[in-house]
Amino acid sequence: MSRRVVVTGMGAVSPIGNTVKEMFESACDGKSGIGLIDRFDTKGFATRIAGQIKNFDPLEFIDKKELKKMDIFIRYALAASHEAVMDAGLDEEQPDADRIGVFIGAGLGGLATIEKYVEVVQERGPRKITPFFIPMLIINLAPGFVSIRHGFKGPNISSVSACATGTHSIGEAWNTIKRGAADVMLAGGTESTITKLGIGGFNAMKALSTRNDEPERASRPFDKDRDGFVMGEGAGVIVLEALEHAKKRGANIHAEIIGYGLNADAHHITTPTPEGLGAARCMELALEDAKIAPTDVDYINAHGTSTYYNDLYETMAIKTVFKDYAYDVAISSTKSMVGHLLGAAGGVEAIFSIMAIKKGIIPPTINYETKDEGCELDYVPNTAREQEVNIAISNSFGFGGTNGTIIFKKFK
């Protein structure tokens, strides 16, 4: 069995908006969500900036008595899933719960919970550890809580593949519906690791920007003066649905998924393959799966982390796959505004890609000021662009050399 799969719902929590509408409008305005960290005392840290969620009230989505059972990454997953479910009209339709699944992953999971209870056990002893400690931090409790909240009894797992997590979750959910194992899937990623260990750990790798005096200008993918990525947090979840199922219940269809590629660099734990060969092959696999030519693609939402090797090698990969057309296709990195959401990045960036198709507006790469050698493609610099988008690609590449690419198409 191989069925067409469409997107019928979307939900997001991000540094530039806690709904899909607010997030996309902020992105089209070129708004940055990066600022000084206020979660902890950053004295002594090389990096003191991040893309934090603002004005988030978990009580809008979660009963107060349930909050103590959840790390913040789970709360974000529930909020994004709630919006996606409402957008898809699933609660009102009451479809067959056994045929609805949830694939939501994270890269690091409950890092904040781990930090907190290390301090508790050191200062107050092991008897003061909450009985909810383990459920709070393990990654599969994100889809677990979502399924409990909505009564979805279908396939339920978490992909954990670093920065490719959200993309892999969506791709595998797509395959699950295609082969007939489910009719509806919630899929995406969630993350909240703006903590002492999260920031300190990436600082130790020299991966983060230290442009602390100019937070809003710190994330600058493809720009010559980039000095590292900026950590963000949030969640992005979409509802995937078999076309015949969506039509039967009269669902609103946002876009169709037509291709998915995944592979490994088999090269290095953090650095991409030289010349982006792994990323290039991943995009080729997705294009082959979709049975389309590179010239059919109108927009690429790049992984675009604002790190030297990622930006250079992803650009080289696009040149390898798209050849002369690489200079004509529109490319942007929305990480320039929201930062790098790690395991949530693929979910949020899938939503940006779908919204570009729906609205005919490509969000920009802000802070692109100085062209870098080797990075000279059309990155939609600084200002959103009105342009018809029929087919969009979303790229995600993670530590360990894991790669994922999804292709979305305007539904017709």
Side-chain angles (χ1 to χ4, degrees):
M1 180 182 290
S2 183
R3 303 189 291 176
R4 291 176 69 182
V5 179
V6 294
V7 178
T8 57
M10 298 182 285
V13 179
S14 83
I16 57 172
N18 296 338
T19 65
V20 169
K21 182 177 185 293
E22 182 185 3
M23 180 181 77
F24 189 69
E25 288 178 352
S26 294
C28 290
D29 289 339
K31 179 180 178 181
S32 172
I34 310 304
L36 293 173
I37 295 170
D38 60 15
R39 298 275 174 82
F40 58 90
D41 184 356
T42 58
K43 183 180 180 181
F45 286 80
T47 294
R48 302 190 297 277
I49 57 174
Q52 298 179 132
I53 300 298
K54 306 163 190 71
N55 304 315
F56 177 74
D57 182 3
L59 295 177
E60 293 181 19
F61 315 99
I62 306 163
D63 291 336
K64 187 174 182 179
K65 64 180 180 180
E66 295 293 304
L67 286 180
K68 63 182 180 181
K69 303 176 184 178
M70 303 173 190
D71 185 274
I72 194 168
F73 85 99
I74 298 174
R75 299 175 188 181
Y76 290 161
L78 279 166
S81 296
H82 174 81
E83 184 186 7
V85 166
M86 294 299 102
D87 184 33
L90 289 178
D91 274 2
E92 290 79 7
E93 297 294 334
Q94 293 298 320
D96 182 358
D98 291 327
R99 301 284 298 170
I100 305 175
V102 187
F103 286 5
I104 298 175
L108 290 170
L111 192 58
T113 293
I114 293 171
E115 286 190 26
K116 175 181 177 179
Y117 283 97
V118 166
E119 292 181 2
V120 167
V121 77
Q122 288 176 338
E123 296 174 5
R124 302 168 61 194
R127 293 185 181 275
K128 295 299 181 179
I129 298 173
T130 174
F132 301 116
F133 172 67
I134 298 300
M136 287 175 72
L137 66 92
I138 54 178
I139 290 171
N140 77 292
L141 259 291
F145 268 111
V146 171
S147 68
I148 292 167
R149 166 73 177 272
H150 296 284
F152 299 153
K153 300 177 182 178
N156 189 289
I157 63 169
S158 290
S159 292
V160 181
S161 48
C163 308
T165 292
T167 293
H168 287 153
S169 297
I170 293 169
E172 295 307 316
W174 178 64
N175 276 328
T176 298
I177 295 173
K178 278 184 66 181
R179 71 172 187 266
D183 294 323
V184 181
M185 295 291 299
L186 274 70
T190 184
E191 199 81 88
S192 181
T193 56
I194 300 173
T195 70
K196 293 178 182 179
L197 281 177
I199 298 296
F202 280 113
N203 270 161
M205 298 174 65
K206 302 187 184 305
L208 296 180
S209 172
T210 57
R211 195 185 289 257
N212 298 307
D213 295 334
E214 299 179 299
E216 295 183 350
R217 299 181 67 233
S219 183
R220 43 200 317 112
F222 307 107
D223 183 82
K224 183 178 181 180
D225 297 322
R226 63 196 183 276
D227 72 327
F229 79 85
V230 178
M231 190 183 295
E233 62 176 348
V237 175
I238 64 176
V239 176
L240 286 69
E241 191 164 353
L243 176 58
E244 65 273 18
H245 189 275
K247 284 185 171 181
K248 184 177 180 180
R249 69 183 190 87
N252 180 38
I253 296 173
H254 297 304
E256 181 175 5
I257 298 182
I258 60 170
Y260 170 49
L262 73 164
N263 70 341
D265 287 350
H267 171 66
H268 189 271
I269 59 171
T270 58
T271 305
T273 311
E275 301 184 8
L277 297 179
R281 181 56 185 152
C282 188
M283 285 186 278
E284 288 173 347
L285 290 168
L287 290 165
E288 291 167 7
D289 195 29
K291 298 180 175 59
I292 62 171
T295 51
D296 293 325
V297 176
D298 302 297
Y299 169 54
I300 300 172
N301 187 291
H303 189 55
T305 58
S306 186
T307 57
Y308 177 79
Y309 285 112
N310 174 91
D311 293 358
L312 175 62
Y313 290 164
E314 185 173 12
T315 296
M316 295 175 78
I318 291 170
K319 291 177 183 177
T320 297
V321 175
F322 291 82
K323 299 182 171 56
D324 290 343
Y325 183 61
Y327 294 87
D328 297 321
V329 65
I331 304 161
S332 72
S333 172
T334 43
K335 289 184 178 72
S336 60
M337 295 170 280
V338 300
H340 192 345
L341 275 61
L342 308 182
V348 167
E349 289 160 15
I351 292 170
F352 279 125
S353 302
I354 295 164
M355 290 297 289
I357 291 171
K358 281 174 59 69
K359 299 296 185 180
I361 304 174
I362 297 174
T365 305
I366 68 168
N367 300 321
Y368 184 75
E369 298 169 349
T370 306
K371 185 182 294 185
D372 192 16
E373 183 178 357
C375 294
E376 69 278 36
L377 301 181
D378 178 8
Y379 303 115
V380 191
N382 301 309
T383 303
R385 179 181 302 166
E386 291 189 12
Q387 176 183 318
E388 182 177 6
V389 178
N390 288 300
I391 295 178
I393 278 182
S394 181
N395 280 335
S396 295
F397 313 126
F399 281 0
T402 182
N403 305 313
T405 296
I406 304 175
I407 303 180
F408 299 94
K409 182 179 181 180
K410 183 176 291 185
F411 177 74
K412 297 177 181 178

